[in-house]
Amino acid sequence: MPKQNTLGHYSLTKIQKFSIAGVATLGAAALAFSFVPGNDQTAQAAEASTASTASTVAFSADARTIQEGVAKQQTAYAGIAKAAEAAAQKQAAAEAKAKAEKKAEEKAKQEREAKARAARDAARKPVYANNLDGWIKESLAIMKKEGIPGTYEGLHRNIMRESSGNPRAINNWDINAQNGVPSKGLLQVIKPTFDAYHVEGTPHNQYDPVANIVAAANYAADRYGTIDNVDSAY
């Protein structure tokens, strides 16, 4: 039993102090032991940490793989787009070439057809002799086309009376010559009359035999009905 000291308090014996100290030491040790993880807990913590690290590494690797895949796809798409553009340009060039060739072929065809028509026309076109007979016949063909009446006989008769068949004949003595407009050519027409009754398609020249005959016949048709009705100066 503890002893009571002079102050009226009890004091512990030496043995009791040692006992209490021992119990306190054991309690602290037990408490400390309870707060220190065991080997299994340490291993589990280490495994968890390792797993977390591995997951992080795996996630990084997956992300890198995805990025690489996306980059490859973009490269592939770019290549496809470039190839498509090149194919489109090639097709456009081919179409333009085909169009140009077709146009050139059509032009060449038209030129060939035009030459063929010209050749046929030339083959069909009569060749008239460069003499009075030929001039009258050519004039009659033009007069028929233009609707101007007249016959070979009527033209020939008036030509022989007016110029004797000389296309360069000129009258320098009659009233027309005195007025400054001499009669000229096969049918002796003056310049105002020739200009007024000239037929397009013939030379605009009084001395041209065909142009002179057709213009004179055109004038005679307008004034007398036909050159066949003319038997004197007209």
Side-chain angles (χ1 to χ4, degrees):
M1 187 174 177
K3 295 181 181 180
Q4 187 176 14
N5 57 22
T6 57
L7 297 175
H9 300 285
Y10 292 97
S11 60
L12 296 175
T13 65
K14 187 174 183 181
I15 294 173
Q16 289 173 332
K17 292 180 179 179
F18 280 122
S19 296
I20 291 170
V23 172
T25 301
L26 289 174
L31 182 61
F33 182 79
S34 66
F35 285 97
V36 176
N39 292 334
D40 291 339
Q41 293 176 332
T42 302
Q44 291 176 359
E47 289 177 0
S49 177
T50 301
S52 177
T53 302
S55 297
T56 302
V57 172
F59 177 79
S60 299
D62 290 342
R64 186 164 52 253
T65 300
I66 292 171
Q67 290 177 348
E68 291 176 352
V70 171
K72 288 180 180 179
Q73 287 181 348
Q74 290 177 342
T75 301
Y77 291 152
I80 293 172
K82 186 175 181 180
E85 182 180 0
Q89 291 178 348
K90 185 176 180 180
Q91 182 178 357
E95 291 176 353
K97 182 179 179 181
K99 186 176 181 180
E101 290 177 349
K102 184 177 180 181
K103 186 176 181 180
E105 183 179 352
E106 290 177 352
K107 183 178 180 181
K109 183 180 178 181
Q110 291 174 354
E111 291 176 350
R112 289 194 300 270
E113 291 176 350
K115 288 180 180 179
R117 284 195 301 270
R120 289 192 299 269
D121 293 342
R124 288 195 298 263
K125 185 177 181 180
V127 178
Y128 299 102
N130 188 25
N131 55 30
L132 182 59
D133 179 69
W135 300 332
I136 293 175
K137 289 178 178 178
E138 185 175 356
S139 297
L140 286 170
I142 297 173
M143 289 164 60
K144 182 179 181 180
K145 181 179 177 182
E146 299 294 330
I148 302 171
T151 63
Y152 187 100
E153 187 279 329
L155 291 174
H156 186 272
R157 174 167 42 82
N158 282 284
I159 289 171
M160 296 308 293
R161 187 189 67 252
E162 293 292 334
S163 65
S164 300
N166 178 12
R168 302 298 300 179
I170 182 171
N171 186 327
N172 289 316
W173 54 268
D174 67 3
I175 188 63
N176 291 320
Q178 295 174 17
N179 292 331
V181 283
S183 301
K184 296 179 180 180
L186 289 175
L187 283 170
Q188 291 291 286
V189 292
I190 61 176
K191 183 78 164 51
T193 301
F194 179 82
D195 291 341
Y197 290 93
H198 173 260
V199 174
E200 292 295 330
T202 62
H204 203 96
N205 178 1
Q206 281 178 266
Y207 289 116
D208 181 85
V210 173
N212 188 283
I213 292 173
V214 175
N218 193 23
Y219 164 72
D222 183 47
R223 186 166 181 180
Y224 304 102
T226 173
I227 190 70
D228 295 346
N229 295 332
V230 178
D231 290 312
S232 61
Y234 62 110

